[in-house]
Amino acid sequence: METPIHTMSDLFQQLGLDGEPAAIDAFVKTHRPLSDRVLLADAPFWNAGQAALLREEKAKDGDWAVVIDSLNSLLRA
């Protein structure tokens, strides 16, 4: 298995959020659990730009998709 190019911290920074581990943990605790009926990019806590980035990068199934999937899993746990 290849090591992901991007980290969770990178994703949070790309989304304009604090990428520090404690801030990521706080974000996940605040927004979890995300309903299985809601797509990650459609969650109410994203602004339009954040939602678009998540939607576009996931659709590309590129380098960001792995870490986006990880965030999705964290928010549903």
Side-chain angles (χ1 to χ4, degrees):
M1 182 173 179
E2 291 183 37
T3 303
I5 294 172
H6 303 292
T7 65
M8 189 67 67
S9 180
D10 294 336
L11 177 61
F12 270 69
Q13 291 172 1
Q14 190 72 14
L15 291 166
L17 302 171
D18 187 344
E20 292 298 319
I24 294 169
D25 288 343
F27 180 92
V28 169
K29 286 177 185 173
T30 298
H31 298 293
R32 176 177 56 197
L34 182 60
S35 170
D36 288 337
R37 295 183 209 142
V38 178
L39 295 174
L40 178 62
D42 293 338
F45 45 81
W46 303 122
N47 66 35
Q50 292 167 328
L53 177 106
L54 292 168
R55 201 171 283 111
E56 291 165 12
E57 293 302 329
K58 181 69 176 151
K60 288 181 190 174
D61 198 27
D63 297 336
W64 287 106
V66 172
V67 72
I68 290 169
D69 287 343
S70 294
L71 177 58
N72 188 43
S73 294
L74 288 173
L75 288 168
R76 300 200 191 263

